[in-house]
Amino acid sequence: YREAFDSYRMAMRLNPHYPAWYVWKLGTAYYDARQYENAVLPLKEAIERNPKFKRARLALAATYAQLDRIEDAEQQVDELLADHPDASLQQESRWKTEDVEWLEHWLEGLRKAGLPE
């Protein structure tokens, strides 16, 4: 994860007008590393840059849930569903990955956040 953190930070330094997905990727790297507190600010920034950014909103909801900030997580899910009413755990479980542990961790956060089945 250290390499991922450094790479995303370097990309942001090299491109001061970086797109929202740069900070989303940094936030999700922190989520994957289970460094939830560090994930919050980059994910919030991604949403500030693009309020309808589905992936960032999902990641922030899962992050808040893993921090046991359930009300914040549920608020993110509500805002997500307002823009993306089709979002669901079933949809997220379709990720094509051989990393079952990663997928389970992702779904656990979303389930705790209250994303509908």
Side-chain angles (χ1 to χ4, degrees), residues 16 29 31 36 54 57 64-65 70 76 80-81 85 98 108-109:
Y31 179 86
Y36 308 120
K54 180 180 180 180
R57 186 91 52 195
Y64 279 146
I70 301 305
Q76 292 303 314
L80 169 77
L81 293 173
E98 293 180 14
E108 172 192 11

Side-chain angles (χ1 to χ4, degrees), residues 5-51:
F5 303 147
D6 292 343
S7 294
Y8 298 130
R9 285 192 199 107
M10 182 187 308
M12 289 185 281
R13 278 194 308 272
L14 293 173
N15 180 0
H17 304 288
Y18 56 87
W21 69 266
Y22 280 33
V23 282
W24 163 67
K25 290 298 286 179
L26 178 59
T28 57
Y30 279 123
Y31 179 86
D32 293 344
R34 292 171 169 69
Q35 294 182 26
Y36 308 120
E37 288 288 345
N38 292 332
V40 171
L41 287 179
L43 294 171
K44 285 175 72 173
E45 182 181 340
I47 292 167
E48 287 170 10
R49 288 173 172 265
N50 181 356

Side-chain angles (χ1 to χ4, degrees), residues 63-103:
T63 298
Y64 279 146
Q66 298 292 17
L67 289 167
D68 291 323
R69 293 174 56 180
I70 301 305
E71 287 182 25
D72 291 327
E74 290 172 344
Q75 179 183 352
Q76 292 303 314
V77 169
D78 290 345
E79 292 182 33
L80 169 77
L81 293 173
D83 291 326
H84 306 281
D86 62 328
S88 68
L89 287 169
Q90 181 181 20
Q91 189 178 70
E92 290 303 304
S93 68
R94 294 183 187 146
W95 276 93
K96 302 288 185 212
T97 181
E98 293 180 14
D99 190 344
V100 175
E101 183 180 332
W102 171 85
L103 185 58

